[in-house]
């Protein structure tokens, strides 16, 4: 099909390459080598070091939150964030089925059950309307929170995810969840630098989590960060992720089951160098998005752009195809031409470990699964 060949040529021209073009490559054109080498020369490569502190300070500023706690990866960050807001074994957590598996896994690691609610067609993230309808049907407010009146379980948290860096309607979700006494944790793993009504994603919920995995907008090799405006939760986050150790001059006092989830200084050094260039990354991404937007105008593939009142980081850019068949042809032809494209994730309740989870109709999620494809989104230079 001709628009697919045109797309392949356009991507090749844009990335000035005749070779394989990946979906997302990291870019180390700043002080990455200098900072990483510095940790080796100083011997402070592990979980204590100046770069960890610096990284946390940078993240407090970028996310406009009071406390940032560096962790080994985004998944462990979400796991701990859910525990911080009180999620316990047997509880239910409202989230979207259209997400990367880590979102659901972080719930399951707490012994809790994901409940899959539909997304909005335009944001591709958790739908406030669908959450509201679910709670009207299943929710029951009690003294100590919200319960699912059909299963008897507590609905202990809501975990929306900002898909590919496009912000969800986070203010509406928080309003609804406040009415139902459900704390909100933001899976902002993909949305570093994105804003909703001028405020950074990750800073709206009780707790937010970003990922610094190798494929994200900026990377620490592997890593994550927990952010919050709640001082007590910030202190608790640090404590739980550093083996739940009470400060003492020489004794080992661990008074709760904690985790060794602290980010090593080596990784924090890489993250600091990358964060120094965050605005540059965002500008480059937005520039590429503009080019794609122009190119795809009037084409059979619709390029997804940010919604009014939001700023997307354009981490992974995507197009919407006509139907599943058009999607399959697009995927086949682009990948055969060594231009990497990927479908959006499989819906979580299709995975064997989540097949029995409670879910709603998923009308929008099913529509998007059949049509959304990621296209090369790296920053060059
Ligand atoms: C990347 C990602 C995570 C997890 O991050 P890791 O650092 O890879 O553990 C969680 N949720 C979503 C939606 C992600 O894309």
């Amino acid at each position: 099909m001709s628009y697919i060949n045109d797309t392949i040529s356009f991507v090749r021209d844009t990335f000035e390459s005749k070779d394989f073009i990946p979906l997302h490559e990291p870019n180390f054109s700043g002080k990455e080598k200098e900072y990483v080498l510095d940790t080796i020369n100083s011997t402070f490569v592990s979980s204590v070091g100046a770069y960890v502190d610096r990284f946390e300070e940078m993240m407090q500023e970028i996310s406009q939150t009071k406390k940032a706690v560096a962790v080994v990866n985004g998944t462990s960050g979400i796991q701990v964030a859910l525990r911080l807001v009180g999620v316990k074994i047997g509880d239910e957590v409202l989230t979207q089925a259209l997400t990367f598996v880590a979102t659901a896994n972080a719930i399951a690691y707490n012994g809790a059950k994901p409940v899959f609610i539909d997304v909005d067609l335009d944001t591709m993230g958790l739908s406030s309307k669908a959450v509201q309808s679910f709670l009207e049907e299943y929710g029951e407010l009690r003294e100590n929170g919200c319960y699912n009146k059909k299963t008897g379980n507590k609905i202990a948290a809501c975990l929306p995810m900002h898909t590919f860096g496009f912000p969800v309607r986070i203010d509406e979700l928080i309003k609804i969840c406040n009415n139902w006494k459900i704390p909100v944790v933001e899976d902002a793993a993909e949305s570093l630098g994105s804003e909703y009504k001028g405020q950074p994603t990750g800073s709206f919920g009780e707790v937010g989590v970003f990922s610094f995995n190798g494929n994200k907008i900026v990377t620490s090799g592997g890593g994550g960060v927990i952010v919050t405006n709640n001082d007590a939760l910030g202190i608790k986050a640090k404590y739980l992720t550093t083996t739940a150790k009470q400060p003492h001059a020489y004794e080992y006092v661990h008074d709760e089951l904690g985790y060794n989830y602290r980010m090593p200084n080596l990784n924090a050094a890489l993250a600091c160098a990358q964060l120094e260039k965050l605005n540059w990354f965002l500008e480059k991404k937005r520039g590429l998005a503009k080019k794609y937007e122009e190119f795809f105008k009037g084409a059979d593939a619709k390029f997804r752009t940010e919604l009014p009142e939001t700023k997307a980081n354009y981490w992974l850019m995507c197009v919407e195809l006509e139907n599943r068949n058009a999607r399959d042809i697009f995927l086949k032809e682009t990948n055969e031409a060594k231009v990497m494209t990927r479908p959006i994730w499989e819906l979580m309740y299709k995975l064997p470990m989540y097949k029995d989870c409670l879910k709603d109709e998923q009308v929008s999620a099913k529509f998007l699964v059949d049509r959304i494809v990621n296209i090369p989104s790296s920053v060059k230079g």
Side-chain angles (χ1 to χ4, degrees):
M1 251 170 262
S2 73
Y3 83 96
I4 303 181
N5 285 331
D6 291 349
T7 304
I8 292 164
S9 309
F10 177 77
V11 171
R12 289 220 168 280
D13 290 348
T14 304
F15 287 88
E16 293 166 346
S17 169
K18 291 192 164 39
D19 305 325
F20 172 74
I21 298 173
L23 211 55
H24 202 278
E25 261 184 327
N27 173 300
F28 301 128
S29 57
K31 294 192 171 157
E32 287 84 358
K33 283 182 191 160
E34 183 189 325
Y35 290 178
V36 170
L37 206 59
D38 186 33
T39 66
I40 295 172
N41 290 334
S42 73
T43 77
F44 284 96
V45 293
S46 198
S47 53
V48 175
Y51 285 107
V52 177
D53 298 338
R54 194 154 131 196
F55 168 69
E56 291 178 339
E57 278 162 25
M58 289 176 92
M59 276 312 302
Q60 279 161 213
E61 188 163 325
I62 289 165
S63 68
Q64 290 170 34
T65 56
K66 279 160 70 182
K67 184 85 183 158
V69 177
V71 289
V72 286
N73 55 50
T75 313
S76 61
I78 303 167
Q79 179 192 345
V80 173
L82 291 170
R83 180 165 158 189
L84 286 171
V85 301
V87 173
K88 297 197 166 59
I89 294 172
D91 288 347
E92 294 176 6
V93 176
L94 309 182
T95 192
Q96 56 208 64
L98 187 68
T99 186
F100 178 58
V101 71
T103 314
N105 286 351
I107 295 168
Y109 295 156
N110 280 289
K113 299 175 173 72
V115 174
F116 298 116
I117 310 288
D118 205 3
V119 292
D120 280 328
L121 265 188
D122 56 357
T123 67
M124 299 185 281
L126 192 63
S127 165
S128 48
K129 283 206 182 75
V131 168
Q132 173 74 25
S133 339
F134 177 85
L135 288 170
E136 277 165 15
E137 191 179 343
Y138 289 86
E140 183 181 286
L141 261 183
R142 294 191 199 156
E143 194 73 9
N144 66 338
C146 182
Y147 282 76
N148 182 325
K149 63 187 169 204
K150 303 202 180 165
T151 62
N153 299 321
K154 187 173 188 186
I155 301 174
C158 176
L159 179 63
M161 195 279 280
H162 303 283
T163 303
F164 305 140
F166 295 105
V168 299
R169 294 192 167 78
I170 189 68
D171 55 350
E172 291 178 16
L173 282 166
I174 287 181
K175 207 167 138 202
I176 293 162
C177 288
N178 281 347
N179 288 340
W180 289 89
K181 291 202 258 181
I182 300 170
V184 173
V185 171
E186 286 178 80
D187 180 345
E190 306 185 348
S191 66
L192 181 66
S194 299
E195 292 173 6
Y196 185 78
K197 296 185 179 170
Q199 191 185 322
T201 58
S203 67
F204 290 84
E206 274 297 296
V207 188
V209 180
F210 297 99
S211 165
F212 294 82
N213 192 40
N215 65 346
K216 296 300 201 280
I217 185 164
V218 300
T219 183
S220 58
V225 71
I226 299 170
V227 296
T228 181
N229 280 311
N230 179 320
D231 291 322
L233 291 187
I235 292 165
K236 185 103 197 255
K238 183 97 150 206
Y239 159 82
L240 283 178
T241 55
T242 49
T243 66
K245 185 180 182 294
Q246 291 291 355
H248 191 282
Y250 46 85
E251 301 265 23
Y252 295 102
V253 185
H254 305 272
D255 50 4
E256 206 178 321
L257 181 64
Y259 316 92
N260 174 18
Y261 282 173
R262 197 100 175 98
M263 179 191 276
N265 201 39
L266 195 64
N267 298 88
L270 191 61
C272 287
Q274 290 263 285
L275 284 180
E276 286 176 2
K277 301 188 302 184
L278 180 60
N279 285 333
W280 178 80
F281 275 110
L282 291 168
E283 272 167 36
K284 287 274 192 180
K285 289 267 189 195
R286 300 177 70 77
L288 178 58
K290 271 268 164 281
K291 279 192 190 170
Y292 272 134
E293 189 182 350
E294 268 315 300
F295 171 76
F296 283 110
K297 258 187 194 143
D300 290 341
K302 276 188 267 174
F303 183 70
R304 284 277 182 151
T305 53
E306 65 195 1
L307 296 169
E309 296 193 286
T310 72
K311 183 182 167 194
N313 68 357
Y314 285 104
W315 165 55
L316 279 190
M317 303 183 207
C318 58
V319 287
E320 180 186 320
L321 283 307
E322 291 241 3
N323 50 43
R324 185 143 190 135
N325 187 44
R327 181 202 86 150
D328 290 344
I329 296 168
F330 186 91
L331 283 167
K332 184 165 181 291
E333 293 191 7
T334 48
N335 283 291
E336 275 175 7
K338 294 200 198 132
V339 167
M340 185 170 170
T341 60
R342 286 289 179 269
I344 199 167
W345 315 278
E346 186 62 279
L347 296 173
M348 288 301 112
Y349 57 82
K350 301 251 177 160
L351 308 182
M353 58 284 195
Y354 300 123
K355 69 177 178 8
D356 299 325
C357 290
L358 198 56
K359 61 175 193 292
D360 65 6
E361 286 289 312
Q362 306 286 326
V363 179
S364 302
K366 285 176 187 162
F367 180 94
L368 293 167
V369 158
D370 283 344
R371 291 167 178 81
I372 296 290
V373 173
N374 290 123
I375 54 180
S377 310
S378 305
V379 165
K380 293 183 305 157

